[in-house]
Amino acid sequence: MTRPKVRNWSQCWALYCLGLFYVILHDELSAINPVLKFSVIKCVVLFMWWQGVLVNVLESTSEMKEADDGLLKRGWTSKDVGYCINNFLCIVEMFFICLVFHYGESFGCSA
């Protein structure tokens, strides 16, 4: 019971410190567009978590069990298929994230 409270408190404290860091160094950091990059990373974490939840739900559905019958002959289980689906979706998401980071990157500034 205490561990989730400590984890939640530490995550809130880390976000507070990150926000404070940005407020103090806003002018110096404006050239590298940190808000876009931070937002993209937070979205990646959020989307990957929900994607994992949805794939786990898909693994327990009757459609996946029906597909599992044919895949068992090849040595695959519904967990293996769910794992591959999750990895494939991750690859597709990383392509779009790469495009967003390319858009957010400012090559004109020198450090």
Side-chain angles (χ1 to χ4, degrees), residues 41-56:
I41 294 299
K42 291 303 283 182
C43 287
V44 166
V45 171
L46 183 70
F47 290 150
M48 292 293 289
W49 185 81
W50 278 109
Q51 172 183 308
V53 169
L54 291 175
V55 168
N56 284 337

Side-chain angles (χ1 to χ4, degrees), residues 55-67:
V55 168
N56 284 337
V57 168
L58 177 68
E59 288 174 3
S60 63
T61 62
S62 61
E63 288 82 13
M64 184 65 85
K65 298 295 181 193
E66 290 173 11

Side-chain angles (χ1 to χ4, degrees), residues 88-100:
F88 176 74
L89 292 174
C90 178
I91 291 169
V92 172
E93 289 171 6
M94 290 304 131
F95 172 74
F96 291 109
I97 288 166
C98 176
L99 294 176
V100 171

Side-chain angles (χ1 to χ4, degrees), residues 8-60:
N8 288 341
W9 183 83
S10 65
Q11 290 171 352
C12 288
W13 181 255
L15 285 174
Y16 169 76
C17 291
L18 186 64
L20 189 62
F21 179 78
Y22 177 72
V23 167
I24 292 171
L25 296 174
H26 173 67
D27 295 333
E28 290 84 1
L29 293 174
S30 63
I32 61 170
N33 203 2
V35 175
L36 176 67
K37 293 176 184 176
F38 178 74
S39 300
V40 167
I41 294 299
K42 291 303 283 182
C43 287
V44 166
V45 171
L46 183 70
F47 290 150
M48 292 293 289
W49 185 81
W50 278 109
Q51 172 183 308
V53 169
L54 291 175
V55 168
N56 284 337
V57 168
L58 177 68
E59 288 174 3
S60 63

